[in-house]
Amino acid sequence: MALTKALTLEDLSNIKEASLKKSRVKETPSDPENTERDSAVREDAQHTIHICGGPGCRARGSLKIKEALERELEGTATSLREVAGPQTEAESRAQASSIGDVSITLSGCNGFCNQGPVMTVDDVFYQSLKTGDVATVVGEHLVKGQPVERLMYKNEMEKTYIPGKPDIPFFALQKPRVLARRGLIDPDEIKEYLDFDGYQALAEVVAGKSAEDIISEIKASGLRGRGGGGFPAGIKWEICAREEARQKYIICNAGPVSRSIVENDPHSIIEGMAICAIATGATKGYIFVREPDSLLLIKRIRHTIEEAGSFGLIGNGILGKGYRFDLEISIGAGTFICGEETAMLSSIEGRRGFPSPKPPYPAVRGLWKKPTIVDNAETFANVPLIILNGAEWFRSVGTSKSPGTKIFTLTGEINTSGLIEVPMDITFKSVIDGIGGGMKKKKTFKALHIGGPTGGFIPGNMIWGPTDGTPAQADRPATQPDSTETQPDGIRATYEDITCAGATMGSGNLIVMDSNACMVNTAMFSMESASGESCGKCVPCRIGMKLMYEKLRKITEGYATASDLEVLEEMAGEVKRTSLCGFGQTAPLAVLTTLKYFRAEYEAHVNNKWCPAGKCKALSTFYIDEKVCTGCTSCARKCPQKAITGERKKPHAIDQSLCIQCRTCYETCTFGSIRIGPKAKDMFTPVHQQPMANKEDE
Amino acid sequence: MEGKVLFVDDDPIVIKSCKYAMEDSGLDLTGVTSPVEALKLIGENDYDVVVTDIVMPEIDGFELIRRTKAMKPDIGIVVITGYSSQQNIRDAIEMGIIDYLAKPFTPNMLTEVMAKALTLAIRRKPVIKEKPLADELEAKMKSEDFLSVINKYRDVPGSLITVLEEAQALIGYLPPSVQKLIAKGMRIPVSEVYSVVSFYPYFTMKIRGRHNVKVCIGAACHTKGAPEIISNLKEGLKIADDTDGMITKDMRFSLETVRCLGACGFAPVVEIDHDTHGGVDPAKSMDLLKDYE
């Protein structure tokens, strides 16, 4: 394929036919997401290697692995070169550098960042690679055809090694649609995207879909904005399309949340934006990157826009037809608030990132007071899939109110963290136990933090279902029309379930917290960040966050009274109710959800001056239970302050005047003899008593 | 007290006694009897305060003040005068002196006035104390690159953030003088430029070191030891947490905190220039800086 200048519809249909011929369709084509094809790999290459080039794997040295691999192959090339065919110019242009009969591609992020750097050799998935392992892989796998077991994923329970990516639990429960091409294509190479149905949806639209058809298809699919609010995309588009204006804009928020798509498959976003532009009559678009420091991201977006432009997929006369859509990158200057759509518009206009009241919604009056569609990259990336496969297909996973899939980042005290895309009807239970591989050794689940900095905390009984007799869905209103779909297995990753539980989808961050976390302390930290991130435009948010932080600090330092709890709760409700934008409306959820689900912990802090998790230093003491201590001395050896003393095989003791409450002994002891108790009266140092007395006088 | 002081008086005894009175103050004291010599010294050195007589041969005190102000507007000036007529003093105050000493004065009076003058002079000094840096800033502000950035975006709506980003990339930071120039070039009020610069954390009005160290204080990094990293770095680099920005004396490193670098999987994270270091051991955080000269 000689693709050097603007493509036409004919070219795209040729590409489609050619790639269909080339592909090895493993399952029925009627289920497109299960259709697996080899990426753009030279047919004469016997081995294909995809090294993960995502930021996680890069940070762990995947580029060095690639270099080492190339060097290693150079060394063994003499034997391999005989079988290799001559290399054409087009092939070397692709980043896939081919040495001998091996093609090496630097792919986008696999999401398995926890085990990075990762690499697939043919169908075998290798993880946690070191440069030293490269020789083994080449020697064993490539030359002898013997996959290297020790570098594969290990099933800890059954002590077996799993070679294939689809069989690894982390990947098995996921349903990649938006990220279907991840790890398989080079994101900087448009041809690889084109070979994977790329721009086919745009071709379909240009060839003769009316704007009404597109909008009704998106509406029928029930696609909701993936930015956190969950507003139905089709309705937004319809409002914008109805507005009469000389100029309309399409803006894609490529903030940190959706960078995974930009890093893996940037053309899918551009395709979705172009379709949106045709549907709404917009001719100008921006991809907004909030952080000017995201150099990799910016470079990739610039390159992608350029590529799409030179192939005639955006710009004037899309695919040789009469549509026009000019796309630019717009770089902000940081701050969390610029993720809010109206604040983002201010930032693109070159002003302070202040949000503005809604309505008027941006779809009516947005950038430069013109109708504007603001959506998240994940939303746009879903659009081509819906156009190609239909609304019915899109609705085949998820619930009726939250159809489709959602990307989450999964971290915390679980065995495997990373970036995941799951059907929205998956329960968080299977996310944690299945994809996350369960809790880490010796850790017990306490709460799930959903939604990033403005999210809420969900307790165990709602995640695991009614294990202790309390119904998991107790807080769900009886009138909820979706209640027929409720499952006894705890809440699902849907907008409605998460909102009912009192959290938000937010940025789609999932942090699994264990019993070591103090919820009061965590809420305090959330408020500290929130008061720093508040833009300061409206009073409830600017002052409310600060006051809530002060109250929480008072609680964690031990001089709060029961009335403080009441005020805190009331204030959180008021800030949520009266704040101007989504930030102020969701940031208090950290306080509201912890108060709702972990009230006993707050009460212990306030009434008993005791932090049961031992995180609030003023309210906890570490001591050794003499009945349990075996005198193994391991804690005494690890104590950085030498505060633990005792004879061998006799109970030890902690000198409270030396203890800095670093938890080292608590984590070290295998017998559970280290206990966390409230500060005993005589243990209170004068420093602690001082502020307590003072504050109560006030 | 700390600072650099120049005494100018045609009477060597005044200089000698002033020096004697201030001997234990810890100040860096210089004295000259010739105002011409004094001007040369002022040009070459970085004085905080100049104490000058009014009636002198060659050039009188007023002329000296005028020329000093033209050269170094931030130097604090104290006048010594034997003829403390109202007119003399009023003229001197109008020229922007900090205080005056009427002869004869006691060592206590001198110390008192000196303390006041030093505090004021040091406060109004720009963050950049060294002359080469000020010159560098000036040169950068006049450079073609910078002016072409402004010209390129002058009539492009919504380009202020882009201009500021490019200006910061060229100059390193955005002090008020640069903001004024941008406002003038873009034909917008200075307040508008300042409102944008002060809002976004990416922009800095303080000079950065040759290497900028960013410590992430996001939720994940916070729990994994970011506060310890910061205190270790501050201690290791001998940076005081003051309002002048956290920067080492030799301008090698500047220290900043950021809300979240988006690499929570590798917490705690430290970013030096554009290199991201993950999984930093707080106790060994100083080791990260070794390779950055």
Short mmCIF file of all heavy atoms in Angstrom, two decimals, chain A residues 56 60 292-293 295 331-335 337-338 347-354 368 525 528-529 532-533 535, chain B residues 157-161 165 195-196 198-203 214 217-219 222 259 261-262 264-266 271 274:
data_model
loop_
_atom_site.label_atom_id
_atom_site.label_comp_id
_atom_site.label_asym_id
_atom_site.label_seq_id
_atom_site.Cartn_x
_atom_site.Cartn_y
_atom_site.Cartn_z
N GLY A 56 4.77 3.40 32.51
CA GLY A 56 5.13 2.55 33.64
C GLY A 56 6.30 1.66 33.29
O GLY A 56 7.29 1.57 34.01
N ARG A 60 10.45 1.61 34.23
CA ARG A 60 11.14 0.43 34.74
C ARG A 60 12.12 -0.15 33.74
O ARG A 60 12.59 -1.27 33.89
CB ARG A 60 10.11 -0.63 35.15
CG ARG A 60 9.31 -0.19 36.35
CD ARG A 60 8.26 -1.21 36.71
NE ARG A 60 7.44 -0.68 37.78
CZ ARG A 60 7.03 -1.38 38.82
NH1 ARG A 60 7.38 -2.64 38.94
NH2 ARG A 60 6.28 -0.83 39.74
N PRO A 292 1.36 20.81 31.00
CA PRO A 292 2.36 21.04 29.96
C PRO A 292 3.59 20.15 30.12
O PRO A 292 4.41 20.05 29.23
CB PRO A 292 2.73 22.52 30.12
CG PRO A 292 2.18 22.94 31.42
CD PRO A 292 1.18 21.96 31.89
N ASP A 293 3.68 19.47 31.26
CA ASP A 293 4.82 18.59 31.49
C ASP A 293 4.65 17.21 30.89
O ASP A 293 5.57 16.41 30.89
CB ASP A 293 5.10 18.46 33.00
CG ASP A 293 5.74 19.70 33.56
OD1 ASP A 293 6.36 20.43 32.77
OD2 ASP A 293 5.61 19.95 34.76
N LEU A 295 5.13 15.51 28.38
CA LEU A 295 5.80 15.68 27.09
C LEU A 295 5.48 14.56 26.11
O LEU A 295 5.22 14.80 24.94
CB LEU A 295 7.32 15.76 27.31
CG LEU A 295 7.78 16.95 28.13
CD1 LEU A 295 9.28 16.92 28.32
CD2 LEU A 295 7.37 18.25 27.45
N ILE A 331 -2.73 23.42 25.07
CA ILE A 331 -2.02 23.00 26.27
C ILE A 331 -2.32 23.94 27.42
O ILE A 331 -2.16 25.15 27.29
CB ILE A 331 -0.51 22.92 26.01
CG1 ILE A 331 -0.25 21.91 24.89
CG2 ILE A 331 0.24 22.49 27.27
CD1 ILE A 331 1.12 21.98 24.31
N GLY A 332 -2.82 23.40 28.49
CA GLY A 332 -3.16 24.21 29.66
C GLY A 332 -1.92 24.43 30.52
O GLY A 332 -0.80 24.25 30.07
N ALA A 333 -2.16 24.83 31.73
CA ALA A 333 -1.01 25.07 32.63
C ALA A 333 -1.25 24.44 33.99
O ALA A 333 -0.92 25.01 35.01
CB ALA A 333 -0.75 26.57 32.75
N GLY A 334 -1.86 23.27 33.98
CA GLY A 334 -2.04 22.54 35.23
C GLY A 334 -3.32 22.91 35.96
O GLY A 334 -4.21 23.54 35.39
N THR A 335 -3.40 22.53 37.17
CA THR A 335 -4.52 22.63 38.13
C THR A 335 -5.63 21.64 37.82
O THR A 335 -6.09 21.53 36.71
CB THR A 335 -5.19 24.03 38.29
OG1 THR A 335 -6.18 24.19 37.32
CG2 THR A 335 -4.21 25.13 38.36
N ILE A 337 -8.67 21.75 38.69
CA ILE A 337 -9.98 22.33 38.38
C ILE A 337 -10.21 22.41 36.89
O ILE A 337 -11.34 22.38 36.41
CB ILE A 337 -10.13 23.72 39.06
CG1 ILE A 337 -11.59 24.18 39.06
CG2 ILE A 337 -9.26 24.77 38.41
CD1 ILE A 337 -12.44 23.48 40.05
N CYS A 338 -9.13 22.49 36.09
CA CYS A 338 -9.30 22.61 34.65
C CYS A 338 -9.83 21.33 34.01
O CYS A 338 -10.03 21.28 32.81
CB CYS A 338 -8.01 23.06 33.99
SG CYS A 338 -7.68 24.78 34.31
N SER A 347 -9.62 28.10 30.38
CA SER A 347 -8.19 27.88 30.19
C SER A 347 -7.82 27.92 28.71
O SER A 347 -6.81 28.49 28.33
CB SER A 347 -7.81 26.54 30.82
OG SER A 347 -6.45 26.29 30.65
N ILE A 348 -8.66 27.33 27.87
CA ILE A 348 -8.37 27.35 26.43
C ILE A 348 -8.45 28.78 25.90
O ILE A 348 -7.72 29.16 25.01
CB ILE A 348 -9.35 26.41 25.67
CG1 ILE A 348 -9.14 24.97 26.11
CG2 ILE A 348 -9.16 26.54 24.16
CD1 ILE A 348 -10.11 23.98 25.53
N GLU A 349 -9.34 29.57 26.52
CA GLU A 349 -9.45 30.97 26.09
C GLU A 349 -8.30 31.81 26.63
O GLU A 349 -8.25 33.02 26.40
CB GLU A 349 -10.80 31.55 26.55
CG GLU A 349 -11.97 30.99 25.77
CD GLU A 349 -13.30 31.46 26.32
OE1 GLU A 349 -13.32 32.34 27.19
OE2 GLU A 349 -14.34 30.92 25.87
N GLY A 350 -7.44 31.20 27.41
CA GLY A 350 -6.25 31.91 27.88
C GLY A 350 -6.48 32.70 29.15
O GLY A 350 -5.76 33.65 29.43
N ARG A 351 -7.51 32.33 29.92
CA ARG A 351 -7.77 33.06 31.15
C ARG A 351 -7.56 32.15 32.35
O ARG A 351 -7.19 31.00 32.22
CB ARG A 351 -9.22 33.58 31.14
CG ARG A 351 -9.43 34.64 30.07
CD ARG A 351 -10.85 35.15 30.08
NE ARG A 351 -11.79 34.20 29.49
CZ ARG A 351 -12.81 33.67 30.16
NH1 ARG A 351 -13.02 33.98 31.41
NH2 ARG A 351 -13.63 32.83 29.57
N ARG A 352 -7.82 32.69 33.55
CA ARG A 352 -7.79 31.86 34.75
C ARG A 352 -8.80 30.74 34.58
O ARG A 352 -9.87 30.97 34.04
CB ARG A 352 -8.24 32.68 35.97
CG ARG A 352 -7.31 33.73 36.38
CD ARG A 352 -7.71 34.22 37.76
NE ARG A 352 -6.50 34.28 38.53
CZ ARG A 352 -6.41 34.33 39.84
NH1 ARG A 352 -7.48 34.30 40.56
NH2 ARG A 352 -5.26 34.38 40.44
N GLY A 353 -8.47 29.57 35.09
CA GLY A 353 -9.38 28.44 34.96
C GLY A 353 -10.52 28.47 35.94
O GLY A 353 -10.62 27.60 36.80
N PHE A 354 -11.36 29.47 35.84
CA PHE A 354 -12.54 29.56 36.70
C PHE A 354 -13.73 28.88 36.03
O PHE A 354 -13.99 29.13 34.87
CB PHE A 354 -12.92 31.02 36.94
CG PHE A 354 -12.17 31.69 38.06
CD1 PHE A 354 -12.16 33.07 38.16
CD2 PHE A 354 -11.52 30.95 39.03
CE1 PHE A 354 -11.48 33.70 39.19
CE2 PHE A 354 -10.85 31.57 40.06
CZ PHE A 354 -10.82 32.94 40.14
N TRP A 368 -15.61 30.61 23.42
CA TRP A 368 -15.87 31.90 22.76
C TRP A 368 -17.36 32.11 22.55
O TRP A 368 -17.79 32.58 21.52
CB TRP A 368 -15.13 32.01 21.42
CG TRP A 368 -13.68 31.68 21.46
CD1 TRP A 368 -13.07 30.63 20.86
CD2 TRP A 368 -12.65 32.40 22.15
NE1 TRP A 368 -11.72 30.64 21.13
CE2 TRP A 368 -11.43 31.71 21.92
CE3 TRP A 368 -12.62 33.54 22.95
CZ2 TRP A 368 -10.23 32.13 22.44
CZ3 TRP A 368 -11.41 33.97 23.46
CH2 TRP A 368 -10.24 33.25 23.21
N PHE A 525 -6.74 14.19 54.70
CA PHE A 525 -5.82 14.40 53.58
C PHE A 525 -6.58 14.84 52.33
O PHE A 525 -6.13 15.74 51.61
CB PHE A 525 -5.02 13.13 53.30
CG PHE A 525 -4.05 13.31 52.19
CD1 PHE A 525 -2.89 14.04 52.36
CD2 PHE A 525 -4.30 12.78 50.93
CE1 PHE A 525 -2.01 14.24 51.33
CE2 PHE A 525 -3.42 12.97 49.89
CZ PHE A 525 -2.27 13.70 50.09
N GLU A 528 -7.37 18.39 52.68
CA GLU A 528 -6.18 19.22 52.55
C GLU A 528 -5.87 19.46 51.06
O GLU A 528 -5.62 20.59 50.64
CB GLU A 528 -4.99 18.55 53.24
CG GLU A 528 -3.81 19.48 53.40
CD GLU A 528 -2.58 18.79 53.94
OE1 GLU A 528 -2.64 17.59 54.26
OE2 GLU A 528 -1.54 19.47 54.03
N SER A 529 -5.94 18.38 50.28
CA SER A 529 -5.70 18.54 48.84
C SER A 529 -6.80 19.41 48.24
O SER A 529 -6.52 20.28 47.43
CB SER A 529 -5.73 17.21 48.11
OG SER A 529 -5.06 16.24 48.81
N GLY A 532 -6.39 22.97 48.67
CA GLY A 532 -5.32 23.50 47.81
C GLY A 532 -5.74 23.62 46.36
O GLY A 532 -5.26 24.47 45.63
N GLU A 533 -6.65 22.75 45.92
CA GLU A 533 -7.04 22.73 44.51
C GLU A 533 -8.22 23.64 44.22
O GLU A 533 -8.50 23.93 43.06
CB GLU A 533 -7.39 21.30 44.08
CG GLU A 533 -6.21 20.34 44.04
CD GLU A 533 -5.22 20.68 42.94
OE1 GLU A 533 -5.54 21.48 42.05
OE2 GLU A 533 -4.08 20.15 42.99
N CYS A 535 -10.43 26.55 43.24
CA CYS A 535 -9.99 27.70 42.44
C CYS A 535 -10.26 29.00 43.17
O CYS A 535 -9.70 30.03 42.84
CB CYS A 535 -10.68 27.71 41.09
SG CYS A 535 -12.38 28.26 41.12
N PRO B 157 -6.44 35.33 19.62
CA PRO B 157 -7.22 35.28 20.86
C PRO B 157 -6.93 34.00 21.64
O PRO B 157 -6.74 32.94 21.06
CB PRO B 157 -8.67 35.32 20.38
CG PRO B 157 -8.64 34.91 18.95
CD PRO B 157 -7.30 35.29 18.42
N GLY B 158 -6.89 34.14 22.94
CA GLY B 158 -6.72 32.96 23.79
C GLY B 158 -5.30 32.44 23.84
O GLY B 158 -5.07 31.32 24.27
N SER B 159 -4.32 33.25 23.40
CA SER B 159 -2.97 32.70 23.32
C SER B 159 -2.10 33.05 24.52
O SER B 159 -0.94 32.71 24.56
CB SER B 159 -2.30 33.21 22.04
OG SER B 159 -2.33 34.62 22.04
N LEU B 160 -2.69 33.73 25.52
CA LEU B 160 -1.86 34.20 26.64
C LEU B 160 -1.13 33.06 27.34
O LEU B 160 0.06 33.15 27.63
CB LEU B 160 -2.73 34.98 27.64
CG LEU B 160 -1.99 35.50 28.87
CD1 LEU B 160 -0.84 36.40 28.47
CD2 LEU B 160 -2.94 36.27 29.78
N ILE B 161 -1.84 31.95 27.58
CA ILE B 161 -1.19 30.83 28.29
C ILE B 161 -0.04 30.28 27.45
O ILE B 161 1.04 29.98 27.97
CB ILE B 161 -2.24 29.74 28.63
CG1 ILE B 161 -3.18 30.29 29.71
CG2 ILE B 161 -1.57 28.46 29.10
CD1 ILE B 161 -4.23 29.34 30.19
N GLU B 165 3.81 30.18 28.54
CA GLU B 165 4.55 28.91 28.57
C GLU B 165 5.85 29.03 27.79
O GLU B 165 6.91 28.59 28.23
CB GLU B 165 3.69 27.79 27.99
CG GLU B 165 2.88 27.07 29.05
CD GLU B 165 1.73 26.26 28.50
OE1 GLU B 165 1.66 26.08 27.27
OE2 GLU B 165 0.90 25.82 29.28
N SER B 195 -3.02 37.74 36.67
CA SER B 195 -4.09 36.86 37.14
C SER B 195 -3.89 35.44 36.61
O SER B 195 -4.16 34.47 37.30
CB SER B 195 -5.46 37.40 36.73
OG SER B 195 -5.82 37.01 35.43
N VAL B 196 -3.39 35.33 35.39
CA VAL B 196 -3.16 34.00 34.82
C VAL B 196 -1.90 33.37 35.42
O VAL B 196 -1.90 32.21 35.84
CB VAL B 196 -3.07 34.08 33.28
CG1 VAL B 196 -2.61 32.75 32.70
CG2 VAL B 196 -4.42 34.44 32.71
N SER B 198 -0.53 33.89 38.28
CA SER B 198 -0.68 33.52 39.69
C SER B 198 -1.66 32.37 39.88
O SER B 198 -1.69 31.76 40.93
CB SER B 198 -1.12 34.73 40.50
OG SER B 198 -2.32 35.25 39.97
N PHE B 199 -2.47 32.09 38.87
CA PHE B 199 -3.48 31.03 39.05
C PHE B 199 -2.92 29.64 38.80
O PHE B 199 -3.20 28.71 39.54
CB PHE B 199 -4.65 31.28 38.09
CG PHE B 199 -5.79 30.31 38.26
CD1 PHE B 199 -6.70 30.47 39.28
CD2 PHE B 199 -5.95 29.24 37.40
CE1 PHE B 199 -7.74 29.58 39.45
CE2 PHE B 199 -7.00 28.33 37.56
CZ PHE B 199 -7.90 28.51 38.59
N TYR B 200 -2.11 29.51 37.75
CA TYR B 200 -1.69 28.17 37.35
C TYR B 200 -0.38 27.76 38.03
O TYR B 200 0.60 28.52 37.99
CB TYR B 200 -1.52 28.10 35.84
CG TYR B 200 -2.83 28.24 35.10
CD1 TYR B 200 -3.22 29.43 34.53
CD2 TYR B 200 -3.69 27.16 35.01
CE1 TYR B 200 -4.43 29.55 33.85
CE2 TYR B 200 -4.90 27.26 34.34
CZ TYR B 200 -5.26 28.46 33.77
OH TYR B 200 -6.45 28.57 33.12
N PRO B 201 -0.37 26.60 38.61
CA PRO B 201 0.84 26.17 39.32
C PRO B 201 2.03 25.96 38.39
O PRO B 201 3.16 25.92 38.84
CB PRO B 201 0.43 24.84 39.96
CG PRO B 201 -0.77 24.39 39.22
CD PRO B 201 -1.45 25.61 38.71
N TYR B 202 1.78 25.84 37.10
CA TYR B 202 2.89 25.60 36.19
C TYR B 202 3.80 26.83 36.08
O TYR B 202 4.99 26.71 35.84
CB TYR B 202 2.35 25.24 34.81
CG TYR B 202 3.42 24.95 33.79
CD1 TYR B 202 4.17 23.78 33.86
CD2 TYR B 202 3.70 25.84 32.76
CE1 TYR B 202 5.15 23.51 32.94
CE2 TYR B 202 4.69 25.57 31.84
CZ TYR B 202 5.42 24.41 31.93
OH TYR B 202 6.40 24.14 31.01
N PHE B 203 3.19 28.00 36.24
CA PHE B 203 3.98 29.23 36.10
C PHE B 203 4.66 29.57 37.41
O PHE B 203 4.10 29.40 38.48
CB PHE B 203 3.09 30.39 35.66
CG PHE B 203 2.44 30.16 34.34
CD1 PHE B 203 1.07 30.25 34.19
CD2 PHE B 203 3.20 29.83 33.24
CE1 PHE B 203 0.47 30.02 32.96
CE2 PHE B 203 2.61 29.60 32.00
CZ PHE B 203 1.24 29.70 31.87
N LYS B 214 11.01 18.29 41.60
CA LYS B 214 9.60 18.33 41.99
C LYS B 214 9.30 17.09 42.80
O LYS B 214 9.54 15.97 42.35
CB LYS B 214 8.70 18.31 40.75
CG LYS B 214 8.71 19.58 39.97
CD LYS B 214 7.75 19.42 38.81
CE LYS B 214 7.84 20.59 37.87
NZ LYS B 214 7.10 20.31 36.64
N ILE B 217 3.25 15.30 46.01
CA ILE B 217 2.61 15.14 47.31
C ILE B 217 1.17 14.66 47.15
O ILE B 217 0.30 14.95 47.95
CB ILE B 217 2.66 16.44 48.15
CG1 ILE B 217 2.16 17.63 47.33
CG2 ILE B 217 4.05 16.69 48.67
CD1 ILE B 217 1.82 18.83 48.18
N GLY B 218 0.91 13.95 46.05
CA GLY B 218 -0.42 13.37 45.85
C GLY B 218 -0.70 12.31 46.91
O GLY B 218 0.18 11.95 47.69
N ALA B 219 -1.94 11.80 46.92
CA ALA B 219 -2.36 10.89 47.98
C ALA B 219 -1.43 9.69 48.12
O ALA B 219 -0.98 9.35 49.22
CB ALA B 219 -3.79 10.42 47.71
N HIS B 222 2.03 10.74 49.28
CA HIS B 222 1.98 11.23 50.65
C HIS B 222 2.09 10.08 51.63
O HIS B 222 2.87 10.12 52.58
CB HIS B 222 0.68 12.00 50.86
CG HIS B 222 0.49 12.50 52.25
ND1 HIS B 222 0.99 13.72 52.68
CD2 HIS B 222 -0.12 11.95 53.33
CE1 HIS B 222 0.69 13.88 53.95
NE2 HIS B 222 0.01 12.83 54.37
N ARG B 259 1.07 18.58 43.10
CA ARG B 259 -0.10 17.85 43.63
C ARG B 259 -0.08 16.39 43.20
O ARG B 259 -0.27 15.51 44.00
CB ARG B 259 -1.40 18.50 43.17
CG ARG B 259 -1.74 19.70 43.99
CD ARG B 259 -2.49 19.30 45.27
NE ARG B 259 -2.39 20.39 46.21
CZ ARG B 259 -2.21 20.27 47.50
NH1 ARG B 259 -2.12 19.07 48.04
NH2 ARG B 259 -2.12 21.31 48.26
N LEU B 261 1.77 13.81 40.03
CA LEU B 261 2.47 13.64 38.75
C LEU B 261 1.82 12.53 37.93
O LEU B 261 2.25 12.23 36.84
CB LEU B 261 3.95 13.32 38.99
CG LEU B 261 4.81 14.49 39.47
CD1 LEU B 261 6.15 14.00 39.93
CD2 LEU B 261 4.98 15.51 38.36
N GLY B 262 0.78 11.92 38.48
CA GLY B 262 0.06 10.89 37.74
C GLY B 262 0.83 9.60 37.59
O GLY B 262 0.63 8.86 36.65
N CYS B 264 1.08 7.32 40.28
CA CYS B 264 0.81 6.83 41.63
C CYS B 264 1.26 5.39 41.83
O CYS B 264 1.52 4.96 42.94
CB CYS B 264 -0.68 6.95 41.94
SG CYS B 264 -1.34 8.57 41.55
N GLY B 265 1.36 4.64 40.72
CA GLY B 265 1.79 3.26 40.84
C GLY B 265 3.22 3.12 41.35
O GLY B 265 3.60 2.09 41.89
N PHE B 266 4.03 4.19 41.18
CA PHE B 266 5.44 4.11 41.58
C PHE B 266 5.75 5.02 42.75
O PHE B 266 6.87 5.48 42.91
CB PHE B 266 6.36 4.47 40.42
CG PHE B 266 5.92 3.89 39.14
CD1 PHE B 266 5.44 4.69 38.13
CD2 PHE B 266 5.96 2.53 38.94
CE1 PHE B 266 5.00 4.15 36.95
CE2 PHE B 266 5.52 1.98 37.77
CZ PHE B 266 5.04 2.79 36.76
N GLU B 271 10.47 14.16 40.52
CA GLU B 271 10.81 14.47 39.14
C GLU B 271 11.93 15.51 39.14
O GLU B 271 11.79 16.55 39.76
CB GLU B 271 9.59 15.00 38.41
CG GLU B 271 9.73 14.93 36.91
CD GLU B 271 8.49 15.42 36.19
OE1 GLU B 271 8.40 16.63 35.94
OE2 GLU B 271 7.62 14.61 35.88
N HIS B 274 13.17 16.65 33.62
CA HIS B 274 12.08 15.85 33.07
C HIS B 274 12.25 14.35 33.33
O HIS B 274 11.60 13.54 32.68
CB HIS B 274 11.89 16.14 31.58
CG HIS B 274 11.24 17.47 31.36
ND1 HIS B 274 9.98 17.76 31.86
CD2 HIS B 274 11.67 18.58 30.75
CE1 HIS B 274 9.67 19.00 31.54
NE2 HIS B 274 10.68 19.52 30.87
#
